[in-house]
mmCIF file of all heavy atoms in Angstrom:
data_model
loop_
_atom_site.group_PDB
_atom_site.id
_atom_site.type_symbol
_atom_site.label_atom_id
_atom_site.label_comp_id
_atom_site.label_asym_id
_atom_site.label_seq_id
_atom_site.Cartn_x
_atom_site.Cartn_y
_atom_site.Cartn_z
ATOM 1 N N ASP A 1 79.994 116.511 -63.437
ATOM 2 C CA ASP A 1 79.846 115.514 -64.491
ATOM 3 C C ASP A 1 80.351 114.137 -64.061
ATOM 4 O O ASP A 1 80.187 113.153 -64.796
ATOM 5 C CB ASP A 1 80.543 115.954 -65.781
ATOM 6 C CG ASP A 1 82.034 116.116 -65.620
ATOM 7 O OD1 ASP A 1 82.472 116.530 -64.523
ATOM 8 O OD2 ASP A 1 82.781 115.827 -66.569
ATOM 9 N N GLU A 2 80.961 114.047 -62.878
ATOM 10 C CA GLU A 2 81.315 112.752 -62.296
ATOM 11 C C GLU A 2 80.187 112.235 -61.403
ATOM 12 O O GLU A 2 80.055 111.037 -61.200
ATOM 13 C CB GLU A 2 82.595 112.883 -61.462
ATOM 14 C CG GLU A 2 83.811 113.309 -62.257
ATOM 15 C CD GLU A 2 84.986 113.700 -61.374
ATOM 16 O OE1 GLU A 2 84.778 113.928 -60.167
ATOM 17 O OE2 GLU A 2 86.105 113.770 -61.909
ATOM 18 N N ILE A 3 79.382 113.167 -60.907
ATOM 19 C CA ILE A 3 78.252 112.799 -60.036
ATOM 20 C C ILE A 3 77.099 112.268 -60.865
ATOM 21 O O ILE A 3 76.454 111.286 -60.509
ATOM 22 C CB ILE A 3 77.817 114.030 -59.210
ATOM 23 C CG1 ILE A 3 78.923 114.408 -58.219
ATOM 24 C CG2 ILE A 3 76.508 113.767 -58.486
ATOM 25 C CD1 ILE A 3 78.671 115.705 -57.490
ATOM 26 N N TYR A 4 76.828 112.933 -61.993
ATOM 27 C CA TYR A 4 75.738 112.518 -62.886
ATOM 28 C C TYR A 4 76.295 111.594 -63.971
ATOM 29 O O TYR A 4 77.373 111.835 -64.510
ATOM 30 C CB TYR A 4 75.090 113.737 -63.538
ATOM 31 C CG TYR A 4 74.185 114.512 -62.605
ATOM 32 C CD1 TYR A 4 74.704 115.463 -61.738
ATOM 33 C CD2 TYR A 4 72.811 114.298 -62.590
ATOM 34 C CE1 TYR A 4 73.881 116.191 -60.878
ATOM 35 C CE2 TYR A 4 71.979 115.008 -61.742
ATOM 36 C CZ TYR A 4 72.516 115.948 -60.886
ATOM 37 O OH TYR A 4 71.702 116.651 -60.038
ATOM 38 N N ILE A 5 75.539 110.556 -64.279
ATOM 39 C CA ILE A 5 75.971 109.579 -65.277
ATOM 40 C C ILE A 5 76.001 110.199 -66.674
ATOM 41 O O ILE A 5 76.911 109.963 -67.453
ATOM 42 C CB ILE A 5 75.039 108.347 -65.266
ATOM 43 C CG1 ILE A 5 75.171 107.608 -63.917
ATOM 44 C CG2 ILE A 5 75.354 107.392 -66.418
ATOM 45 C CD1 ILE A 5 74.108 106.563 -63.694
ATOM 46 N N THR A 6 74.988 111.016 -66.973
ATOM 47 C CA THR A 6 74.928 111.606 -68.304
ATOM 48 C C THR A 6 74.515 113.062 -68.199
ATOM 49 O O THR A 6 73.792 113.456 -67.272
ATOM 50 C CB THR A 6 73.949 110.849 -69.219
ATOM 51 O OG1 THR A 6 74.059 111.337 -70.553
ATOM 52 C CG2 THR A 6 72.513 111.002 -68.768
ATOM 53 N N HIS A 7 75.003 113.879 -69.134
ATOM 54 C CA HIS A 7 74.540 115.253 -69.239
ATOM 55 C C HIS A 7 74.413 115.600 -70.718
ATOM 56 O O HIS A 7 75.011 114.959 -71.581
ATOM 57 C CB HIS A 7 75.468 116.225 -68.502
ATOM 58 C CG HIS A 7 76.854 116.301 -69.055
ATOM 59 N ND1 HIS A 7 77.829 115.370 -68.752
ATOM 60 C CD2 HIS A 7 77.444 117.197 -69.875
ATOM 61 C CE1 HIS A 7 78.952 115.686 -69.362
ATOM 62 N NE2 HIS A 7 78.745 116.787 -70.058
ATOM 63 N N ILE A 8 73.606 116.612 -71.000
ATOM 64 C CA ILE A 8 73.167 116.887 -72.362
ATOM 65 C C ILE A 8 73.230 118.389 -72.624
ATOM 66 O O ILE A 8 72.899 119.191 -71.753
ATOM 67 C CB ILE A 8 71.704 116.424 -72.565
ATOM 68 C CG1 ILE A 8 71.466 115.033 -71.961
ATOM 69 C CG2 ILE A 8 71.313 116.460 -74.026
ATOM 70 C CD1 ILE A 8 70.029 114.764 -71.590
ATOM 71 N N TYR A 9 73.636 118.775 -73.830
ATOM 72 C CA TYR A 9 73.519 120.176 -74.236
ATOM 73 C C TYR A 9 72.041 120.517 -74.444
ATOM 74 O O TYR A 9 71.214 119.646 -74.708
ATOM 75 C CB TYR A 9 74.268 120.429 -75.542
ATOM 76 C CG TYR A 9 75.765 120.602 -75.395
ATOM 77 C CD1 TYR A 9 76.644 119.643 -75.900
ATOM 78 C CD2 TYR A 9 76.297 121.728 -74.782
ATOM 79 C CE1 TYR A 9 78.025 119.806 -75.786
ATOM 80 C CE2 TYR A 9 77.670 121.900 -74.662
ATOM 81 C CZ TYR A 9 78.518 120.935 -75.163
ATOM 82 O OH TYR A 9 79.885 121.090 -75.049
ATOM 83 N N GLY A 10 71.726 121.806 -74.374
ATOM 84 C CA GLY A 10 70.371 122.239 -74.702
ATOM 85 C C GLY A 10 70.121 122.162 -76.200
ATOM 86 O O GLY A 10 71.047 122.066 -77.003
ATOM 87 N N PHE A 11 68.852 122.218 -76.579
ATOM 88 C CA PHE A 11 68.511 122.110 -78.003
ATOM 89 C C PHE A 11 68.846 123.408 -78.747
ATOM 90 O O PHE A 11 68.872 124.496 -78.180
ATOM 91 C CB PHE A 11 67.032 121.760 -78.182
ATOM 92 C CG PHE A 11 66.078 122.899 -77.914
ATOM 93 C CD1 PHE A 11 65.775 123.835 -78.892
ATOM 94 C CD2 PHE A 11 65.457 123.029 -76.680
ATOM 95 C CE1 PHE A 11 64.904 124.882 -78.657
ATOM 96 C CE2 PHE A 11 64.576 124.069 -76.423
ATOM 97 C CZ PHE A 11 64.299 124.997 -77.418
ATOM 98 N N LYS A 12 69.118 123.256 -80.042
ATOM 99 C CA LYS A 12 69.338 124.397 -80.932
ATOM 100 C C LYS A 12 68.387 124.274 -82.110
ATOM 101 O O LYS A 12 68.381 123.253 -82.802
ATOM 102 C CB LYS A 12 70.774 124.409 -81.470
ATOM 103 C CG LYS A 12 71.842 124.787 -80.453
ATOM 104 C CD LYS A 12 73.199 124.870 -81.137
ATOM 105 C CE LYS A 12 74.290 125.260 -80.149
ATOM 106 N NZ LYS A 12 75.597 125.413 -80.806
ATOM 107 N N SER A 13 67.610 125.301 -82.349
ATOM 108 C CA SER A 13 66.716 125.255 -83.511
ATOM 109 C C SER A 13 67.393 125.846 -84.745
ATOM 110 O O SER A 13 67.118 125.440 -85.867
ATOM 111 C CB SER A 13 65.433 126.029 -83.224
ATOM 112 O OG SER A 13 65.665 127.420 -83.287
ATOM 113 N N HIS A 14 68.282 126.822 -84.560
ATOM 114 C CA HIS A 14 68.899 127.611 -85.627
ATOM 115 C C HIS A 14 67.883 128.470 -86.369
ATOM 116 O O HIS A 14 68.208 129.085 -87.384
ATOM 117 C CB HIS A 14 69.672 126.721 -86.621
ATOM 118 C CG HIS A 14 70.924 126.167 -86.024
ATOM 119 N ND1 HIS A 14 71.478 124.982 -86.439
ATOM 120 C CD2 HIS A 14 71.718 126.606 -85.014
ATOM 121 C CE1 HIS A 14 72.568 124.729 -85.728
ATOM 122 N NE2 HIS A 14 72.738 125.705 -84.854
ATOM 123 N N ARG A 15 66.637 128.488 -85.879
ATOM 124 C CA ARG A 15 65.601 129.377 -86.406
ATOM 125 C C ARG A 15 64.555 129.608 -85.312
ATOM 126 O O ARG A 15 63.370 129.325 -85.484
ATOM 127 C CB ARG A 15 64.991 128.800 -87.691
ATOM 128 C CG ARG A 15 64.400 127.408 -87.581
ATOM 129 C CD ARG A 15 64.194 126.772 -88.950
ATOM 130 N NE ARG A 15 65.464 126.588 -89.623
ATOM 131 C CZ ARG A 15 66.247 125.503 -89.471
ATOM 132 N NH1 ARG A 15 65.877 124.519 -88.684
ATOM 133 N NH2 ARG A 15 67.393 125.410 -90.108
ATOM 134 N N ASP A 16 65.037 130.163 -84.196
ATOM 135 C CA ASP A 16 64.150 130.407 -83.058
ATOM 136 C C ASP A 16 62.942 131.253 -83.451
ATOM 137 O O ASP A 16 61.843 131.056 -82.921
ATOM 138 C CB ASP A 16 64.908 131.132 -81.938
ATOM 139 C CG ASP A 16 65.858 130.207 -81.182
ATOM 140 O OD1 ASP A 16 66.023 129.045 -81.606
ATOM 141 O OD2 ASP A 16 66.432 130.648 -80.171
ATOM 142 N N HIS A 17 63.154 132.199 -84.352
ATOM 143 C CA HIS A 17 62.069 133.105 -84.728
ATOM 144 C C HIS A 17 60.917 132.372 -85.413
ATOM 145 O O HIS A 17 59.806 132.911 -85.488
ATOM 146 C CB HIS A 17 62.596 134.211 -85.654
ATOM 147 C CG HIS A 17 63.117 133.693 -86.968
ATOM 148 N ND1 HIS A 17 64.320 133.032 -87.085
ATOM 149 C CD2 HIS A 17 62.573 133.715 -88.214
ATOM 150 C CE1 HIS A 17 64.513 132.697 -88.348
ATOM 151 N NE2 HIS A 17 63.463 133.090 -89.048
ATOM 152 N N PHE A 18 61.171 131.157 -85.882
ATOM 153 C CA PHE A 18 60.124 130.358 -86.521
ATOM 154 C C PHE A 18 59.619 129.240 -85.610
ATOM 155 O O PHE A 18 58.417 129.000 -85.523
ATOM 156 C CB PHE A 18 60.653 129.758 -87.831
ATOM 157 C CG PHE A 18 59.609 128.991 -88.602
ATOM 158 C CD1 PHE A 18 58.689 129.662 -89.395
ATOM 159 C CD2 PHE A 18 59.549 127.603 -88.545
ATOM 160 C CE1 PHE A 18 57.710 128.957 -90.106
ATOM 161 C CE2 PHE A 18 58.587 126.902 -89.250
ATOM 162 C CZ PHE A 18 57.660 127.578 -90.036
ATOM 163 N N ALA A 19 60.531 128.572 -84.925
ATOM 164 C CA ALA A 19 60.180 127.374 -84.153
ATOM 165 C C ALA A 19 59.745 127.668 -82.723
ATOM 166 O O ALA A 19 59.220 126.791 -82.045
ATOM 167 C CB ALA A 19 61.373 126.420 -84.127
ATOM 168 N N ILE A 20 59.963 128.908 -82.246
ATOM 169 C CA ILE A 20 59.689 129.267 -80.847
ATOM 170 C C ILE A 20 58.925 130.581 -80.817
ATOM 171 O O ILE A 20 59.176 131.474 -81.626
ATOM 172 C CB ILE A 20 61.012 129.398 -80.057
ATOM 173 C CG1 ILE A 20 61.766 128.067 -80.067
ATOM 174 C CG2 ILE A 20 60.757 129.841 -78.616
ATOM 175 C CD1 ILE A 20 63.182 128.142 -79.547
ATOM 176 N N ASP A 21 57.983 130.694 -79.867
ATOM 177 C CA ASP A 21 57.223 131.940 -79.774
ATOM 178 C C ASP A 21 56.614 132.093 -78.389
ATOM 179 O O ASP A 21 56.422 131.112 -77.673
ATOM 180 C CB ASP A 21 56.112 131.980 -80.825
ATOM 181 C CG ASP A 21 55.703 133.406 -81.167
ATOM 182 O OD1 ASP A 21 54.941 134.013 -80.391
ATOM 183 O OD2 ASP A 21 56.153 133.920 -82.211
ATOM 184 N N PHE A 22 56.292 133.350 -78.034
ATOM 185 C CA PHE A 22 55.566 133.619 -76.792
ATOM 186 C C PHE A 22 54.175 132.989 -76.847
ATOM 187 O O PHE A 22 53.656 132.521 -75.835
ATOM 188 C CB PHE A 22 55.393 135.134 -76.587
ATOM 189 C CG PHE A 22 56.672 135.890 -76.433
ATOM 190 C CD1 PHE A 22 57.134 136.722 -77.444
ATOM 191 C CD2 PHE A 22 57.410 135.802 -75.264
ATOM 192 C CE1 PHE A 22 58.305 137.446 -77.289
ATOM 193 C CE2 PHE A 22 58.588 136.517 -75.100
ATOM 194 C CZ PHE A 22 59.032 137.342 -76.114
ATOM 195 N N ASP A 23 53.574 133.030 -78.034
ATOM 196 C CA ASP A 23 52.166 132.634 -78.196
ATOM 197 C C ASP A 23 52.036 131.303 -78.917
ATOM 198 O O ASP A 23 52.589 131.106 -80.009
ATOM 199 C CB ASP A 23 51.407 133.707 -78.987
ATOM 200 C CG ASP A 23 51.488 135.064 -78.329
ATOM 201 O OD1 ASP A 23 51.323 135.129 -77.091
ATOM 202 O OD2 ASP A 23 51.714 136.065 -79.047
ATOM 203 N N LYS A 24 51.292 130.425 -78.331
ATOM 204 C CA LYS A 24 51.027 129.112 -78.913
ATOM 205 C C LYS A 24 50.373 129.254 -80.289
ATOM 206 O O LYS A 24 50.691 128.518 -81.232
ATOM 207 C CB LYS A 24 50.117 128.328 -77.963
ATOM 208 C CG LYS A 24 49.818 126.919 -78.371
ATOM 209 C CD LYS A 24 48.971 126.250 -77.292
ATOM 210 C CE LYS A 24 48.681 124.793 -77.614
ATOM 211 N NZ LYS A 24 47.882 124.166 -76.527
ATOM 212 N N GLU A 25 49.456 130.226 -80.406
ATOM 213 C CA GLU A 25 48.702 130.392 -81.651
ATOM 214 C C GLU A 25 49.615 130.736 -82.827
ATOM 215 O O GLU A 25 49.345 130.345 -83.971
ATOM 216 C CB GLU A 25 47.641 131.496 -81.485
ATOM 217 C CG GLU A 25 46.534 131.172 -80.499
ATOM 218 C CD GLU A 25 46.984 131.242 -79.043
ATOM 219 O OE1 GLU A 25 48.042 131.863 -78.768
ATOM 220 O OE2 GLU A 25 46.292 130.662 -78.185
ATOM 221 N N GLN A 26 50.702 131.452 -82.551
ATOM 222 C CA GLN A 26 51.633 131.815 -83.623
ATOM 223 C C GLN A 26 52.367 130.593 -84.167
ATOM 224 O O GLN A 26 52.599 130.478 -85.376
ATOM 225 C CB GLN A 26 52.643 132.855 -83.119
ATOM 226 C CG GLN A 26 52.042 134.221 -82.852
ATOM 227 C CD GLN A 26 51.425 134.844 -84.088
ATOM 228 O OE1 GLN A 26 51.982 134.773 -85.182
ATOM 229 N NE2 GLN A 26 50.256 135.439 -83.919
ATOM 230 N N ILE A 27 52.727 129.678 -83.265
ATOM 231 C CA ILE A 27 53.373 128.432 -83.711
ATOM 232 C C ILE A 27 52.401 127.628 -84.565
ATOM 233 O O ILE A 27 52.757 127.126 -85.640
ATOM 234 C CB ILE A 27 53.827 127.585 -82.500
ATOM 235 C CG1 ILE A 27 54.847 128.350 -81.654
ATOM 236 C CG2 ILE A 27 54.402 126.253 -82.963
ATOM 237 C CD1 ILE A 27 56.225 128.422 -82.224
ATOM 238 N N VAL A 28 51.171 127.501 -84.078
ATOM 239 C CA VAL A 28 50.151 126.752 -84.823
ATOM 240 C C VAL A 28 49.954 127.362 -86.210
ATOM 241 O O VAL A 28 49.872 126.642 -87.222
ATOM 242 C CB VAL A 28 48.818 126.729 -84.042
ATOM 243 C CG1 VAL A 28 47.703 126.144 -84.904
ATOM 244 C CG2 VAL A 28 48.963 125.944 -82.752
ATOM 245 N N LYS A 29 49.901 128.681 -86.262
ATOM 246 C CA LYS A 29 49.700 129.367 -87.544
ATOM 247 C C LYS A 29 50.838 129.067 -88.514
ATOM 248 O O LYS A 29 50.599 128.741 -89.689
ATOM 249 C CB LYS A 29 49.604 130.878 -87.286
ATOM 250 C CG LYS A 29 49.473 131.720 -88.549
ATOM 251 C CD LYS A 29 49.498 133.208 -88.200
ATOM 252 C CE LYS A 29 49.520 134.063 -89.468
ATOM 253 N NZ LYS A 29 49.625 135.515 -89.151
ATOM 254 N N ARG A 30 52.078 129.148 -88.038
ATOM 255 C CA ARG A 30 53.235 128.933 -88.921
ATOM 256 C C ARG A 30 53.298 127.501 -89.434
ATOM 257 O O ARG A 30 53.536 127.259 -90.622
ATOM 258 C CB ARG A 30 54.527 129.261 -88.170
ATOM 259 C CG ARG A 30 54.745 130.716 -87.894
ATOM 260 C CD ARG A 30 55.950 130.913 -87.005
ATOM 261 N NE ARG A 30 55.886 132.182 -86.287
ATOM 262 C CZ ARG A 30 56.485 132.414 -85.139
ATOM 263 N NH1 ARG A 30 57.215 131.475 -84.566
ATOM 264 N NH2 ARG A 30 56.379 133.588 -84.552
ATOM 265 N N ILE A 31 53.119 126.547 -88.522
ATOM 266 C CA ILE A 31 53.235 125.140 -88.919
ATOM 267 C C ILE A 31 52.079 124.745 -89.833
ATOM 268 O O ILE A 31 52.268 124.004 -90.810
ATOM 269 C CB ILE A 31 53.294 124.226 -87.677
ATOM 270 C CG1 ILE A 31 54.511 124.591 -86.811
ATOM 271 C CG2 ILE A 31 53.352 122.763 -88.092
ATOM 272 C CD1 ILE A 31 55.853 124.512 -87.511
ATOM 273 N N THR A 32 50.888 125.254 -89.537
ATOM 274 C CA THR A 32 49.736 124.981 -90.405
ATOM 275 C C THR A 32 49.986 125.527 -91.802
ATOM 276 O O THR A 32 49.716 124.872 -92.814
ATOM 277 C CB THR A 32 48.456 125.609 -89.810
ATOM 278 O OG1 THR A 32 48.217 125.067 -88.510
ATOM 279 C CG2 THR A 32 47.249 125.325 -90.705
ATOM 280 N N GLU A 33 50.527 126.715 -91.849
ATOM 281 C CA GLU A 33 50.850 127.333 -93.143
ATOM 282 C C GLU A 33 51.922 126.527 -93.858
ATOM 283 O O GLU A 33 51.860 126.344 -95.086
ATOM 284 C CB GLU A 33 51.326 128.773 -92.906
ATOM 285 C CG GLU A 33 51.445 129.600 -94.162
ATOM 286 C CD GLU A 33 51.813 131.045 -93.874
ATOM 287 O OE1 GLU A 33 51.678 131.480 -92.705
ATOM 288 O OE2 GLU A 33 52.255 131.739 -94.819
ATOM 289 N N LEU A 34 52.892 126.018 -93.098
ATOM 290 C CA LEU A 34 53.966 125.223 -93.693
ATOM 291 C C LEU A 34 53.424 123.945 -94.327
ATOM 292 O O LEU A 34 53.742 123.643 -95.488
ATOM 293 C CB LEU A 34 55.003 124.872 -92.619
ATOM 294 C CG LEU A 34 56.128 123.909 -93.021
ATOM 295 C CD1 LEU A 34 56.997 124.522 -94.107
ATOM 296 C CD2 LEU A 34 56.988 123.556 -91.799
ATOM 297 N N VAL A 35 52.626 123.187 -93.592
ATOM 298 C CA VAL A 35 52.166 121.887 -94.113
ATOM 299 C C VAL A 35 51.084 122.039 -95.189
ATOM 300 O O VAL A 35 50.840 121.102 -95.961
ATOM 301 C CB VAL A 35 51.644 120.974 -92.972
ATOM 302 C CG1 VAL A 35 52.754 120.663 -91.994
ATOM 303 C CG2 VAL A 35 50.449 121.586 -92.263
ATOM 304 N N ASN A 36 50.450 123.215 -95.239
ATOM 305 C CA ASN A 36 49.396 123.422 -96.240
ATOM 306 C C ASN A 36 49.892 124.134 -97.486
ATOM 307 O O ASN A 36 49.100 124.610 -98.292
ATOM 308 C CB ASN A 36 48.238 124.227 -95.622
ATOM 309 C CG ASN A 36 47.454 123.414 -94.612
ATOM 310 O OD1 ASN A 36 47.447 122.184 -94.671
ATOM 311 N ND2 ASN A 36 46.805 124.085 -93.671
ATOM 312 N N GLN A 37 51.204 124.214 -97.636
ATOM 313 C CA GLN A 37 51.767 124.858 -98.813
ATOM 314 C C GLN A 37 51.474 124.023 -100.063
ATOM 315 O O GLN A 37 51.992 122.933 -100.240
ATOM 316 C CB GLN A 37 53.285 125.018 -98.656
ATOM 317 C CG GLN A 37 53.702 126.136 -97.711
ATOM 318 C CD GLN A 37 53.385 127.509 -98.289
ATOM 319 O OE1 GLN A 37 53.778 127.836 -99.403
ATOM 320 N NE2 GLN A 37 52.659 128.302 -97.528
#
C-alpha cells in the first residue's frame, strides 16, 4: 500500500442472489421484472 497510490475494497451487493448470476439472461429477467412492476 506504499507502492500503490490508491487501493480499493471489492464491491458488496448485500444481495448477490439477485444482483449476480451465472447466466446473463437471469439478470435481464430480474431487472426487467423489477422495472416493469
Side-chain angles (χ1 to χ4, degrees):
D1 63 326
E2 298 168 344
I3 293 172
Y4 284 84
I5 295 168
T6 188
H7 64 279
I8 315 155
Y9 280 112
F11 74 84
K12 288 185 179 183
S13 76
H14 289 153
R15 56 196 63 87
D16 285 7
H17 64 286
F18 184 81
I20 299 169
D21 204 281
F22 297 108
D23 303 316
K24 184 177 183 179
E25 294 74 18
Q26 290 300 318
I27 299 284
V28 171
K29 177 185 174 183
R30 289 173 203 154
I31 300 302
T32 301
E33 191 175 344
L34 173 64
V35 297
N36 289 336
Q37 284 291 306

